[in-house]
Amino acid sequence: MSGFLEDVHRSHGVRFRLAATVTDVAVDASGRRVTGVEISASGVVDRLDADLVLVGIGMEPNTGLASAAGLEVDNGIVVDEFARTSDADILAIGDCANQPSAYAGRRIRLESAPNAIEHAKVAAATILGRPQASTATPWFWSEQYDLKLQMVGLSAGHDRCITRGGTGTTLSAFYLTGDRVVAADVISRPADFATARQLVTSGRPVDPERLADSEIPLAQAAL
């Protein structure tokens, strides 16, 4: 999937400098405008002219307020299945919340809009005195150029990946543990994504050979 998307970006003129280290960011005499970036790869130093630099350094949950309030914190604000923190009168939701997941069978912290929306529903039910745990399967999406990448489930721990498509501008990748699809990445194949969500959520076993055959409707891969 990464290679597929890299090729898409290259076709749109994006240049990649992989396994490189940024050693300096150059600015003009005023010190207020970027003029370039210096990088080093395998000992070779190169300068890239630039008038804009976007730095992606990852994200950490802001738990300072929660810690100051005496709440339990561990890779986010620890909550139960009803969005309640270690103080039952305080709720936390979304990217900052470390929550139990019925799908994963363990605690997870998700950074995604669908999770924030689902978690808000859980919190609202708790506030209304009708607590109800979420059974939602995690899913994500990204739009890149005219392509839509849709993802469902968490692929960590899979033991096999089966793909469909891969030609032109579509691709589906299914991650299996045994004979069950635990996650899928789908590019511009909405029917595949809809069926993949059903397979991941239901946990139904599949026939790997049928799953790999693009001529067979994906729904028929389930046993």
Side-chain angles (χ1 to χ4, degrees):
M1 185 60 69
S2 298
F4 182 93
L5 288 172
E6 182 179 337
D7 289 343
V8 169
H9 281 274
R10 288 187 188 279
S11 72
H12 284 80
V14 176
R15 289 181 297 159
F16 291 87
R17 301 295 183 93
L18 305 176
T21 300
V22 175
T23 56
D24 190 27
V25 176
V27 296
D28 63 9
S30 70
R32 299 174 62 85
R33 189 176 71 83
V34 171
T35 60
V37 177
E38 185 178 276
I39 64 173
S40 175
S42 300
V44 178
V45 177
D46 193 10
R47 177 189 163 93
L48 307 176
D49 293 332
D51 54 16
L52 177 66
V53 176
L54 175 64
V55 182
I57 59 173
M59 186 176 87
E60 293 184 359
N62 187 342
T63 58
L65 181 61
S67 294
L71 303 181
E72 183 181 357
V73 171
D74 180 13
N75 183 31
I77 304 170
V78 176
V79 300
D80 65 9
E81 65 270 33
F82 306 119
R84 298 177 301 204
T85 67
S86 53
D87 182 329
D89 291 327
I90 302 176
L91 278 60
I93 65 172
D95 294 5
C96 70
N98 181 331
Q99 59 183 305
S101 168
Y103 157 80
R106 57 182 173 84
R107 286 190 164 275
I108 59 176
R109 186 175 63 80
L110 293 176
E111 300 168 8
S112 77
N115 171 67
I117 293 170
E118 182 65 26
H119 215 185
K121 295 176 182 178
V122 172
T126 297
I127 291 170
L128 292 172
R130 299 193 295 269
Q132 183 173 351
S134 171
T135 58
T137 300
W139 70 280
F140 317 84
W141 61 272
S142 172
E143 292 183 355
Q144 302 183 32
Y145 307 110
D146 57 346
L147 304 183
K148 173 167 282 190
L149 168 62
Q150 296 173 291
M151 300 156 279
V152 60
L154 304 173
S155 60
H158 73 277
D159 53 38
R160 182 169 21 170
C161 178
I162 295 176
T163 61
R164 283 187 171 216
T167 59
T169 57
T170 67
L171 174 65
S172 296
F174 304 94
Y175 305 93
L176 281 71
T177 297
D179 60 358
R180 286 171 169 77
V181 179
V182 295
D185 298 336
V186 180
I187 294 181
S188 299
R189 297 170 71 101
D192 275 12
F193 180 68
T195 303
R197 289 187 69 173
Q198 295 174 358
L199 292 174
V200 172
T201 300
S202 68
R204 291 179 61 187
V206 297
D207 180 336
E209 292 187 4
R210 285 178 169 269
L211 192 66
D213 190 342
S214 296
E215 300 300 316
I216 297 176
L218 182 58
Q220 295 181 17
L223 298 176

